[in-house]
Amino acid sequence: MKKLVIVESPAKARTIAKFLGKEFKVEASMGHIRDLPKSDLGVDIENNFAPKYINIRGKADVINRLKKSAQEAEKVYLATDPDREGEAISWHLATILGLDQNDNVRITFNEITKKAVQESLKNARPIDQNLVNAQQARRVLDRLVGYKLSPFLWEKVKGGLSAGRVQSVATRLVVEREEEIENFKPEEYWTLEAVFKKDNQEFKAKFYGSKKGKIELKNQNQVDEIVNQIKDKEFKVTKLKITEKKKNPPPPFITSTLQQEASRKLRFTPAKTMMIAQMLYEGVEIKGEGSVGLITYMRTDSTRVAEEAQEAARRIILQRFGKEYVPEKPRVYKTKKDAQDAHEAIRPTYIEKDPESIKDSLTPDQYRLYKLIYDRFLASQMESSIYDSLSAELEVEGYVFKLTGSKLKFAGFMEVYVEGKDTDEEEEENQLPEIFEGEMLKPIKLEKKQHFTQPPSRYTEATLIKALEEKGIGRPSTYAPTIQTILERGYVVKEDRFLKPTELGKVVTNILKEYFKDIIDIEFTAELEENLDRIEEGKADWVEIVRKFYLPLEKELETARNTMQQIKVDDEETDVVCENCGRKMVIKKGRYGRFLACPGYPECKNTKPYFDYLDVLCPKCGKKLIEKKSKKGKKYYTCESYPECNFIVWERPAKNCPKCNQLMFEKGKKRSKKLVCSNESCGYEEKIVEKGE
């Protein structure tokens, strides 16, 4: 008789089977096998919120196969993922297969390697009921919110809406950011810079104020008055300070930072990132080796790294870069105080498998994500970067200008990895020639610029995940599905990379804020996450946590039903005119996404695909260009009359050239950006400048 190991997926089963030998059989449950029913609430509120689990439809063959294998096995091990969800799947499997949950049937491993899997068999344990209860509490809470509030929204607003414990708070963040942007009043301010040239090198000093302190430049008259006093004058270098600065590498990835960085650098959605990471964790077919698990478990909030992995990374760094790149001691990163710290950080399982060596065995997306994880981990164990940082004060006619710059002396970890940024606000490095205290410098020009304060940026998927994490809302496993849900429900849309609330999202958020304050309260939701952690630790009873949540919800629901009036949400009107009846078409949402429909329905049933229109005309026929996506999700731009007009371009055009009407594209980096005409024989260019420059 063989021993049976049950995992969730066939890929994971293939990877593990290599390590266990002929005395083991490895089967896959294909995810959950039991869940709450879709057709009703599935929670017995009167009986301590007992969940009414049923076998998932379509899983009968899987269940029968597992039962047969379990009956034939001398011992059954449940090796589902090492988190609450995985513990719950193992609990359901133990229940259906008739296993003794107090027996040592549960094995877990943070990485799918031979050593980790074999070690887990030596440390088999009973099902952890605290972990199961934490997952049950989350599932029941989310079901109560979804199945109680959603019908209320159908009744009062429109059919097909939903409310969710975490998704509603995420939508609120997006809505309130939009309100900040709409209510923002820009204020004028100016900057003044003196441009110098020495040793054929240009550099700039910024106006600071006077010896008494900082002076804010608020209008042109103020700036012109200063310029008139200092033009044609020499500046004296009065203070000069050169210091050596170190920049430490970022820690290895946790779930949220991986999703953020993959969004910034790879343009992956959180859902796509997690899907590919799951493949890399469970196992990828490597030529000559079979299925290999390439990364550690990807749902984690800990930056902890095993000593063995640290030492392996240090050996690779020494071999590839030399001893000056290896810190004296392995780097240890502090995990945030509210982290569960159940698993290590996300890292390669085999550091010797560098991305290039296995590139031929990976899909392009798998390679890109693996390289991101590999490089980040390797960099996290490398020596710091070292800069010479220079700061100086220059005086002229009682005014003070400040000069800063830096020069990279030693790249350190930056040889491998540089962290991405959410905005372009960071200043470019100011490369400076050698200057001396007491030196007199005469500017080649004075640059004055008008600016206006800018509203906060809309959230991207990356910055929304960052906000959710900082506020303690949700956990590593919830970020990606939360964002996917609010997009699918039509509460939020994505314009370029930015998240913008729809009218529907605003209406639903305002209803929840008015009638269900706790459901959408940020602090309350964060506190509930802490209570789920307490259940996991065995410090709280899951039924009591659910009861304290549900009783106020029930009262609020009753009050809202009795007092709230019916609300009509108008469809968003567009400038597209219905060719059949002349009305302006509106945006509707269907099962395949947004589409245009005539508001004259049912008299006029005209519909057409919805596209984002650019304020740019087709250079072939003069109609507007629209944005589309290829089957692989890559954006491209084509004529609205396609295929009659077959014009297509893959780079987003900025405008039509004023000289030849061809397309202009943005080129260059910050401070040197310009629009360039695509027609080489035209050669027209425009510098991109701020207002007033």
Side-chain angles (χ1 to χ4, degrees), residues 339-462:
Q340 292 171 284
D341 199 29
H343 316 295
E344 282 188 67
I346 304 168
R347 61 168 176 81
T349 49
Y350 304 99
I351 195 71
E352 67 276 9
K353 292 189 189 303
D354 67 88
E356 296 306 318
S357 69
I358 58 171
K359 186 174 183 179
D360 290 348
S361 299
L362 305 177
T363 67
D365 285 343
Q366 287 172 345
Y367 165 76
R368 293 170 73 202
L369 191 66
Y370 180 62
K371 180 171 169 53
L372 193 71
I373 293 167
Y374 187 98
D375 289 351
R376 172 86 165 218
F377 173 66
L378 198 64
S380 75
Q381 294 301 316
M382 291 177 73
E383 191 55 270
S384 303
S385 299
I386 301 175
Y387 291 84
D388 268 344
S389 177
L390 181 146
S391 60
E393 286 188 9
L394 285 70
E395 288 185 17
V396 56
E397 298 295 312
Y399 293 110
V400 175
F401 283 67
K402 288 195 173 182
L403 179 68
T404 58
S406 59
K407 185 178 182 181
L408 185 64
K409 287 175 67 178
F410 174 66
F413 74 93
M414 292 175 68
E415 289 278 6
V416 174
Y417 186 86
V418 178
E419 195 170 15
K421 302 292 181 185
D422 290 315
T423 67
D424 294 326
E425 291 175 3
E426 292 77 16
E427 288 293 330
E428 285 188 350
E429 196 174 290
N430 199 8
Q431 297 289 340
L432 301 174
E434 194 171 12
I435 59 174
F436 307 95
E437 195 165 321
E439 185 175 1
M440 302 300 292
L441 299 170
K442 190 170 184 179
I444 56 174
K445 58 181 173 179
L446 297 170
E447 290 182 348
K448 56 183 181 179
K449 292 181 186 176
Q450 180 189 35
H451 308 264
F452 292 89
T453 53
Q454 297 297 311
S457 294
R458 290 190 178 114
Y459 286 109
T460 61
E461 288 176 308

Side-chain angles (χ1 to χ4, degrees), residues 28 103 119 191 194 224 234 275 281 308 418-419 438 451 480 648 682:
D103 193 9
E119 197 68 31
T191 56
D224 287 344
E234 287 190 321
M275 178 187 73
Y281 165 69
E308 187 180 344
V418 178
E419 195 170 15
H451 308 264
I648 182 172
C682 170

